[in-house]
Amino acid sequence: MKDDEKKIIEAFVEEELPSLFDYLKIPSISAQNKGIDKTVAWIVDKFKILGAAKVEKWNENDGNPVIFAEFNGKSEQTVLFYNHYDVQPPDPLDEWLTEPFEPTIKDGKIFARGICDDKGELLSRLSLIDYFNQNGGLPVNIKFLIEGEEEIGSPRVEKYVCSHAEQLSADYCIWEGGGKDEHDNFQITCGLKGIVSFEMKVATAKKDLHSSLATFADNAAWRLVEALNSLRDKDGQVLVDGFYDDIVLLDENTKQAISELDFDKDKLEKNYGLLRPISDRGSADSLVNGNTITINGLTSGYEGDGSKTIIPSRASAKLDCRLVPDQDPQKIAQLIQKQLVVNGFSDVKVDLGHGEYAFRTPLNDSFVKLCKKIGDEVYGVDNCLILPNMPGSGPAQQFNSELKVPIVMVGIHYAGSGPHSPNENIRLEDYKEGSFYLYKVLQALGNK
Amino acid sequence: MKDDEKKIIEAFVEEELPSLFDYLKIPSISAQNKGIDKTVAWIVDKFKILGAAKVEKWNENDGNPVIFAEFNGKSEQTVLFYNHYDVQPPDPLDEWLTEPFEPTIKDGKIFARGICDDKGELLSRLSLIDYFNQNGGLPVNIKFLIEGEEEIGSPRVEKYVCSHAEQLSADYCIWEGGGKDEHDNFQITCGLKGIVSFEMKVATAKKDLHSSLATFADNAAWRLVEALNSLRDKDGQVLVDGFYDDIVLLDENTKQAISELDFDKDKLEKNYGLLRPISDRGSADSLVNGNTITINGLTSGYEGDGSKTIIPSRASAKLDCRLVPDQDPQKIAQLIQKQLVVNGFSDVKVDLGHGEYAFRTPLNDSFVKLCKKIGDEVYGVDNCLILPNMPGSGPAQQFNSELKVPIVMVGIHYAGSGPHSPNENIRLEDYKEGSFYLYKVLQALGNK
């Protein structure tokens, strides 16, 4: 009977999938402001067809609209889904083996930009609503918040959550993302790291100078290199006074969950094409609760072919720091600027960019426990783990601080999905199994 | 009588100058392979009109032709002039107040790309030949070697000098460049620094990765920053084992000449638009005999607008080191690669680029003494200095090792000339006075 149920759900979503491919064909690229209206129209239309009690487009804060929808269920329980309809640019195009906006099923995988991050998950969710509609109704009330600016840092979602908090109220929140690790273990992911992005800029002269003057004229590129180097030791430890002060101690549940994670250096090196071995600082512990200071880009002076014997007058670096609870993104940027002054680099300026707090749903929350229980049933107890938080970031803390709702990520990707990369894909089996898992979760919540 | 002579020569070259402007109108940009043939044709034609005994175009080594010319004089003495007909690209165009290839006389200055470096000097030399032709003949034999690849590092001139050594034989060589310092003192410049250009490259993964993985995945930009930082201390001292080993001790004449130079930090800061004060390492001594390791450019990861949370998989830096006698450019690059390995950066590769040895004519050479004596007469003893070598580089050592000829630079530029920059210019007074000075030198050599 249970096996039959799994087969039925999996067959349903598999059969319906090709009819939903239109969503993947629209290049909804927020960074390039492409295809937004068309994508929004597709989703709104789909919600109406599925019988939503309410569908709204919010755009009072400008930017790409947020889509809100509400479906009535048979119980008092309410689940809020967070999704985003925007995707990363497909570049570099020449590395794709299929067309990024022409979804293709091949070797048991579905290839398309956004299939993993995060369009595929919406399709699975829509398909389940359709199934429930045809089979006695939704076990819970379902709300959707679908934003269109996740790939550019969700700059406005917090505003929308604050001003629509009542409408968004829910008992549980199922986030985007989540799925299987490099050992194909299914992960119940309970949080996200925080982030602060910033730029470091320095100028040493009004214009680039001839490099013969380097015995007396300062060099912006050298200043930047020295300033950067003063912020981190060779093991990746951040050398900024106060940087680690606000980090909360891990509770026993979180420590336990980390100890159960299998951090396989060989597999990670191979999966990610690393050319250098992972050092001792690479560990399950640091992946969950470690800080990083990452140079995203360096720019200075002559970058063309051949050589040009100049002293660059300007240099800049883009950076991000991944943060953990309760580090404050803005405070972190200020501490870095302060440290630069202390280190003798008061001329190196920190321009604050995007910031997000880290977030973790407590692992002893009943929602986490229920997700784990169903995970054990669907994937097997040996293949289901709890990940206290993923190493990436997102606006979950902004949701939680306003909505006070437990948030988990229980998705359909696997270690080879390659979000943001060419040939982004998910496995059809994961799509089917992940949809069945979600079906079971919604049913269980309805019976609570 | 002497004043009359000065007036006559200065009037002659001033009057003739506009008729020579055609040379400045041809954009002979070696880096972009522009206008080379037309420029060569102009020079060859001019030499023929001036009655050269021999004019040759050498191009057996490919690249832009070298022009050789020979004029017979009334004595046994032979002077070799080194010039180059190529110029730097005029970019950035929007910073020019006049058209770069439309020579313009304004406020006593001549503005044009190449007027300082190095077309103006050729015009002065041609004008003097014309004057001597009309007034009893050349006091010395004159040879010209004019290359067309100086602005791209003179990659082939050494070959030409070696294979044409006999034709180029001379008693004295007058180089391009030279002129007045920021105090308007006339400098007899007796050499050039050496240089080695190279690129440092590192890769840490097959492709850029999501920055959430930074707890375990290495970062090419950080590797580069750390590798660069390991090569230099904060005072600019090069931290490469053996780097300083081959430097020859300064002789007393050179020390004396350096002690007479006026290194005015305030003026230099103002002239060059420096945004940071010149430190203690900036001195006349280091300008003449100091080494530098200069980052010319940095490239890594995301350099566009906004932020992109990636771990760059590749990073590179372009650098040059200015060298002094007897440092070997190739050896220096090898020492740097070796030091990187010692410092733990065996994955950071050094790609050797262009190299040139430093060169100094001994300051007690009779040619230097004669140039100084005439400098004292023309510019005044308090306004004429000997500069053992300029901080820039050029293929002088390649000339000297083959031709065994003393080389000096006695030119027409001033501290505001801005070679390689927008609004490159010389002062008309310097052009006239410098031409008279050269006239006196040639006369004196003829009377030796």
Side-chain angles (χ1 to χ4, degrees):
Chain A
M1 173 67 187
K2 204 179 149 192
D3 269 3
D4 280 354
E5 192 185 21
K6 192 174 185 225
K7 273 182 198 161
I8 290 164
I9 305 299
E10 292 195 354
F12 184 90
V13 299
E14 181 175 10
E15 198 180 329
E16 193 162 278
L17 184 59
S19 73
L20 298 168
F21 274 0
D22 280 351
Y23 183 49
L24 297 161
K25 291 182 183 176
I26 315 170
S28 51
I29 307 168
S30 48
Q32 300 166 354
N33 207 18
K34 259 192 198 165
I36 302 302
D37 290 348
K38 210 174 156 191
T39 311
V40 169
W42 188 94
I43 299 169
V44 167
D45 195 45
K46 188 59 70 180
F47 279 147
K48 286 181 179 166
I49 292 169
L50 288 172
K54 199 175 272 181
V55 186
E56 293 179 5
K57 277 193 288 183
W58 298 340
N59 56 6
E60 68 267 22
N61 300 318
D62 299 328
N64 298 337
V66 166
I67 304 169
F68 171 78
E70 199 174 338
F71 292 85
N72 295 329
K74 297 183 291 181
S75 71
E76 293 299 304
Q77 305 290 317
T78 301
V79 171
L80 171 65
F81 284 125
Y82 166 81
N83 288 94
H84 60 92
Y85 59 78
D86 62 326
V87 298
Q88 282 277 318
D91 314 74
L93 281 171
D94 57 355
E95 292 184 22
W96 280 83
L97 302 173
T98 62
E99 291 295 317
F101 296 106
E102 195 51 67
T104 308
I105 300 179
K106 206 179 136 187
D107 304 330
K109 293 169 185 165
I110 314 161
F111 292 86
R113 168 55 87 227
I115 185 68
C116 154
D117 183 14
D118 154 59
K119 286 179 165 177
E121 279 166 358
L122 181 65
L123 299 187
S124 161
R125 293 168 187 187
L126 294 176
S127 228
L128 285 181
I129 291 174
D130 198 18
Y131 179 84
F132 283 122
N133 281 347
Q134 294 177 35
N135 293 277
L138 285 167
V140 292
N141 304 312
I142 289 180
K143 293 177 179 178
F144 279 94
L145 182 150
I146 311 181
E147 70 155 317
E149 297 184 330
E150 198 273 346
E151 299 295 2
I152 53 171
S154 302
R156 294 176 186 84
V157 78
E158 186 169 17
K159 279 191 192 173
Y160 286 110
V161 172
C162 288
S163 55
H164 296 275
E166 208 169 319
Q167 261 183 295
L168 291 166
S169 70
D171 303 296
Y172 318 99
C173 178
I174 299 179
W175 205 251
E176 66 144 342
K180 290 181 177 173
D181 69 9
E182 63 274 16
H183 303 280
D184 270 344
N185 292 320
F186 183 73
Q187 294 178 320
I188 319 285
T189 307
C190 302
L192 296 140
K193 279 192 180 171
I195 189 171
V196 59
S197 292
F198 58 97
E199 199 161 346
M200 278 169 55
K201 289 179 180 175
V202 62
T204 48
K206 286 182 188 163
K207 51 178 75 178
D208 296 347
L209 298 171
H210 197 278
S211 74
S212 62
L213 309 176
T215 52
F216 66 84
D218 243 317
N219 179 320
W222 270 123
R223 288 288 296 163
L224 182 70
V225 163
E226 286 168 2
L228 284 167
N229 203 68
S230 77
L231 295 177
R232 198 186 90 137
D233 75 8
K234 292 203 171 182
D235 299 322
Q237 185 80 357
V238 182
L239 302 176
V240 172
D241 211 36
F243 188 90
Y244 298 100
D245 285 1
D246 297 335
I247 298 175
V248 293
L249 288 177
L250 293 178
D251 59 35
E252 286 309 313
N253 287 326
T254 310
K255 282 186 190 167
Q256 178 62 29
I258 291 173
S259 75
E260 286 169 17
L261 297 173
D262 188 358
F263 189 83
D264 186 328
K265 291 187 179 185
D266 289 343
K267 281 206 173 174
L268 288 168
E269 284 167 15
K270 206 180 145 208
N271 273 357
Y272 290 111
L274 305 186
L275 302 177
R276 289 173 50 77
I278 294 174
S279 71
D280 289 345
R281 76 189 165 89
S283 65
D285 190 73
S286 67
L287 197 64
V288 171
N289 204 42
N291 286 115
T292 52
I293 182 166
T294 298
I295 301 173
N296 308 132
L298 293 172
T299 305
S300 185
Y302 184 68
E303 306 187 50
D305 289 335
S307 64
K308 193 173 179 191
T309 49
I310 55 162
I311 303 171
S313 58
R314 270 153 230 284
S316 65
K318 293 177 192 284
L319 296 104
D320 74 60
C321 289
R322 298 283 172 173
L323 309 175
V324 300
D326 284 334
Q327 292 178 298
D328 174 339
Q330 200 157 349
K331 181 180 167 188
I332 290 293
Q334 284 160 355
L335 288 175
I336 290 167
Q337 178 71 78
K338 217 164 144 187
Q339 190 65 50
L340 285 170
V341 173
V342 170
N343 295 355
F345 299 102
S346 55
D347 54 327
V348 180
K349 299 300 178 195
V350 172
D351 279 2
L352 179 64
H354 172 62
E356 276 170 352
Y357 282 82
F359 170 75
R360 269 186 217 128
T361 296
L363 302 192
N364 61 0
D365 187 280
S366 65
F367 183 41
V368 173
K369 285 179 177 168
L370 182 137
C371 288
K372 174 73 167 92
K373 183 172 160 282
I374 295 170
D376 289 345
E377 286 166 27
V378 172
Y379 293 98
V381 69
D382 290 338
N383 300 310
C384 179
L385 295 169
I386 287 184
L387 183 62
N389 59 267
M390 60 173 188
S393 308
Q397 196 269 352
Q398 300 160 26
F399 272 63
N400 184 265
S401 69
E402 201 60 38
L403 307 177
K404 313 290 178 204
V405 64
I407 299 175
V408 299
M409 284 144 250
V410 284
I412 54 175
H413 74 229
Y414 74 112
S417 282
H420 297 202
S421 295
N423 306 309
E424 179 177 351
N425 72 95
I426 59 170
R427 294 181 301 207
L428 187 54
E429 281 306 312
D430 292 330
Y431 180 82
K432 288 154 60 180
E433 206 170 17
S435 297
F436 176 64
Y437 171 82
L438 186 55
Y439 163 86
K440 294 287 285 178
V441 168
L442 296 176
Q443 270 205 330
L445 291 174
N447 293 332
K448 258 193 142 180
Chain B
M1 173 68 189
K2 203 181 151 193
D3 270 1
D4 282 353
E5 192 184 20
K6 193 174 184 225
K7 275 183 195 158
I8 290 164
I9 304 297
E10 291 193 354
F12 185 90
V13 298
E14 181 175 10
E15 197 179 329
E16 193 161 282
L17 184 58
S19 72
L20 298 169
F21 273 2
D22 280 350
Y23 182 50
L24 298 161
K25 292 183 182 176
I26 316 170
S28 51
I29 306 168
S30 49
Q32 300 167 354
N33 206 21
K34 260 193 198 163
I36 302 302
D37 291 348
K38 208 175 157 192
T39 311
V40 170
W42 188 94
I43 299 169
V44 167
D45 195 45
K46 188 59 69 180
F47 279 147
K48 285 180 181 166
I49 291 168
L50 288 172
K54 199 176 271 178
V55 186
E56 294 179 5
K57 277 194 288 183
W58 298 339
N59 57 7
E60 68 267 24
N61 299 318
D62 299 327
N64 297 339
V66 166
I67 304 168
F68 171 77
E70 198 173 339
F71 292 85
N72 294 329
K74 296 184 292 180
S75 71
E76 293 297 305
Q77 304 290 318
T78 300
V79 171
L80 171 65
F81 284 125
Y82 166 80
N83 287 95
H84 60 90
Y85 60 77
D86 62 326
V87 299
Q88 283 275 321
D91 315 73
L93 281 172
D94 56 355
E95 292 184 22
W96 281 83
L97 302 174
T98 63
E99 290 295 318
F101 296 105
E102 195 51 66
T104 308
I105 300 179
K106 206 179 136 187
D107 303 330
K109 293 169 186 167
I110 314 160
F111 292 86
R113 168 54 89 227
I115 184 67
C116 155
D117 183 15
D118 154 60
K119 286 178 165 178
E121 279 165 356
L122 181 65
L123 299 186
S124 160
R125 292 167 188 187
L126 294 176
S127 228
L128 285 181
I129 290 172
D130 197 18
Y131 179 84
F132 282 121
N133 281 346
Q134 294 178 34
N135 292 277
L138 285 167
V140 292
N141 304 312
I142 289 181
K143 293 177 180 179
F144 279 94
L145 183 150
I146 311 181
E147 69 154 317
E149 298 183 329
E150 198 273 346
E151 298 295 1
I152 53 171
S154 303
R156 294 176 186 86
V157 77
E158 186 168 17
K159 279 190 190 172
Y160 286 109
V161 172
C162 288
S163 55
H164 296 275
E166 207 169 320
Q167 261 182 296
L168 291 166
S169 70
D171 302 296
Y172 317 100
C173 177
I174 299 180
W175 204 252
E176 66 143 342
K180 290 182 178 172
D181 69 9
E182 64 272 17
H183 303 279
D184 270 344
N185 291 320
F186 183 73
Q187 293 179 320
I188 319 283
T189 307
C190 302
L192 297 140
K193 280 192 180 172
I195 189 170
V196 59
S197 291
F198 57 97
E199 198 161 345
M200 277 169 55
K201 289 179 179 174
V202 62
T204 48
K206 285 181 188 163
K207 51 178 74 179
D208 295 347
L209 299 170
H210 196 278
S211 74
S212 62
L213 309 177
T215 52
F216 66 84
D218 242 318
N219 179 320
W222 270 122
R223 288 288 296 162
L224 181 71
V225 163
E226 288 169 1
L228 285 167
N229 203 68
S230 78
L231 295 177
R232 199 186 90 135
D233 76 8
K234 292 200 172 185
D235 299 322
Q237 184 81 358
V238 182
L239 302 176
V240 171
D241 210 36
F243 189 90
Y244 297 99
D245 284 1
D246 297 335
I247 297 174
V248 293
L249 288 178
L250 293 178
D251 60 34
E252 285 310 313
N253 287 325
T254 310
K255 282 185 191 167
Q256 179 62 29
I258 291 172
S259 75
E260 286 169 17
L261 297 173
D262 188 357
F263 189 84
D264 186 327
K265 292 186 180 186
D266 289 343
K267 281 209 173 175
L268 288 167
E269 284 167 15
K270 205 179 148 211
N271 273 357
Y272 290 111
L274 305 186
L275 301 178
R276 289 173 49 77
I278 294 173
S279 71
D280 290 344
R281 75 189 165 89
S283 64
D285 190 73
S286 67
L287 197 66
V288 171
N289 203 44
N291 287 115
T292 52
I293 182 165
T294 298
I295 301 173
N296 308 131
L298 292 173
T299 305
S300 184
Y302 184 66
E303 305 185 51
D305 289 337
S307 64
K308 192 173 180 191
T309 50
I310 54 162
I311 304 172
S313 58
R314 269 152 231 285
S316 64
K318 293 178 193 281
L319 296 104
D320 74 60
C321 290
R322 298 284 171 172
L323 309 175
V324 299
D326 284 332
Q327 293 178 298
D328 174 340
Q330 199 157 350
K331 182 180 166 188
I332 290 293
Q334 285 160 356
L335 288 175
I336 290 167
Q337 178 71 78
K338 216 165 145 187
Q339 190 65 50
L340 286 170
V341 174
V342 170
N343 294 356
F345 299 103
S346 55
D347 53 327
V348 180
K349 299 299 177 195
V350 172
D351 280 1
L352 179 64
H354 172 63
E356 275 170 353
Y357 281 83
F359 170 74
R360 268 186 218 127
T361 296
L363 302 193
N364 60 359
D365 188 280
S366 64
F367 183 40
V368 173
K369 286 179 178 169
L370 181 138
C371 288
K372 174 73 167 91
K373 182 172 162 281
I374 294 170
D376 290 344
E377 286 167 25
V378 172
Y379 293 98
V381 68
D382 290 338
N383 301 309
C384 180
L385 295 169
I386 287 184
L387 183 62
N389 59 266
M390 61 173 190
S393 308
Q397 195 269 352
Q398 299 159 26
F399 272 62
N400 184 264
S401 69
E402 201 60 39
L403 307 178
K404 312 290 177 206
V405 65
I407 300 174
V408 299
M409 283 144 251
V410 283
I412 53 176
H413 75 229
Y414 75 111
S417 281
H420 297 202
S421 295
N423 306 310
E424 179 176 350
N425 73 95
I426 59 171
R427 295 181 299 208
L428 187 55
E429 281 307 313
D430 292 330
Y431 181 81
K432 288 155 60 180
E433 205 170 18
S435 298
F436 176 64
Y437 172 81
L438 186 56
Y439 162 87
K440 293 288 286 179
V441 169
L442 296 176
Q443 269 206 330
L445 292 174
N447 292 332
K448 258 195 141 179

